Amino acid sequence: PEKPLDRDYPVPSWLTNSEGTMNVAVVGNSGVGKSLLINKMRRLKPGAAEWAPTGVKETTLRPMMYTFPGIDKVRLWDLPGAGTPGFPKENYLRDMGLRHFDSVLIVTANRFTSTEVMLREELERYTVPYFMVRTKIDLDIWNNKEDNKLEEAVTL
């Protein structure tokens, strides 16, 4: 029988053939560095055939699946940025099927926003394992040193 979870939050059509795989969603606001994080985790160099496209404007417009070189049982899903006109945060959890992932990386740059907090709360409510990842910390360290004369340890 169909469970309420499946009816209210169906498995997205693109999240198929997941039996025997580990599916990790990479989510967060647009522009926080999700695609670059995926590339770095897979130890790829720019220009590699499997490189996830990156850019300063919204680049990921649909869910994209990437595997580690030689390990296709672990799948990283580069999901579009949350809270954009095309992907409003109110529907993001349902539309991206986050409850159906084995785990989720919530990515932010600078500081965590209400979008990341909302995602965390929903994942906790449905016991989906997650990690919160802060990117671009090197820029924050440099800016805090230049602007406020504060050392790295204070910024971190």
Side-chain angles (χ1 to χ4, degrees):
E2 187 179 39
K3 299 178 286 192
L5 174 64
D6 295 335
R7 186 179 64 249
D8 297 338
Y9 293 89
V11 177
S13 60
W14 43 264
L15 186 59
T16 57
N17 303 322
S18 61
E19 193 68 33
T21 63
M22 173 181 273
N23 290 282
V24 179
V26 182
V27 302
N29 286 318
S30 182
V32 298
K34 297 180 296 295
S35 301
L36 185 59
L37 177 64
I38 286 172
N39 289 328
K40 295 297 183 179
M41 288 174 65
R42 297 182 310 136
R43 298 182 178 185
L44 296 179
K45 302 280 187 231
E50 305 86 14
W51 182 263
T54 60
V56 294
K57 62 181 177 68
E58 192 172 7
T59 306
T60 305
L61 301 176
R62 62 185 175 86
M64 297 295 296
M65 191 255 312
Y66 298 96
T67 60
F68 288 90
I71 310 173
D72 28 336
K73 294 290 183 191
V74 178
R75 308 188 313 180
L76 295 172
W77 287 89
D78 191 1
L79 300 183
T84 63
F87 303 96
K89 70 178 185 178
E90 296 76 26
N91 303 325
Y92 192 82
L93 190 82
R94 182 196 67 225
D95 293 348
M96 293 297 120
L98 295 186
R99 295 181 191 172
H100 299 285
F101 282 88
D102 296 297
S103 63
V104 177
L105 300 180
I106 303 173
V107 182
T108 191
N110 306 107
R111 64 181 62 96
F112 290 99
T113 68
S114 61
T115 300
E116 289 105 7
V117 170
M118 181 225 31
L119 289 169
R120 177 186 54 88
E121 289 171 349
E122 282 289 300
L123 293 170
E124 285 178 350
R125 182 176 303 132
Y126 293 96
T127 62
V128 178
Y130 68 91
F131 296 91
M132 298 185 88
V133 180
R134 185 175 172 192
T135 61
K136 305 181 184 184
I137 192 71
D138 54 333
L139 297 174
D140 291 338
I141 291 168
W142 187 85
N143 285 332
N144 218 9
K145 186 168 186 151
E146 288 293 310
D147 297 345
N148 303 311
K149 310 294 184 243
L150 296 174
E151 294 301 316
E152 179 176 334
V154 175
T155 302
L156 295 176

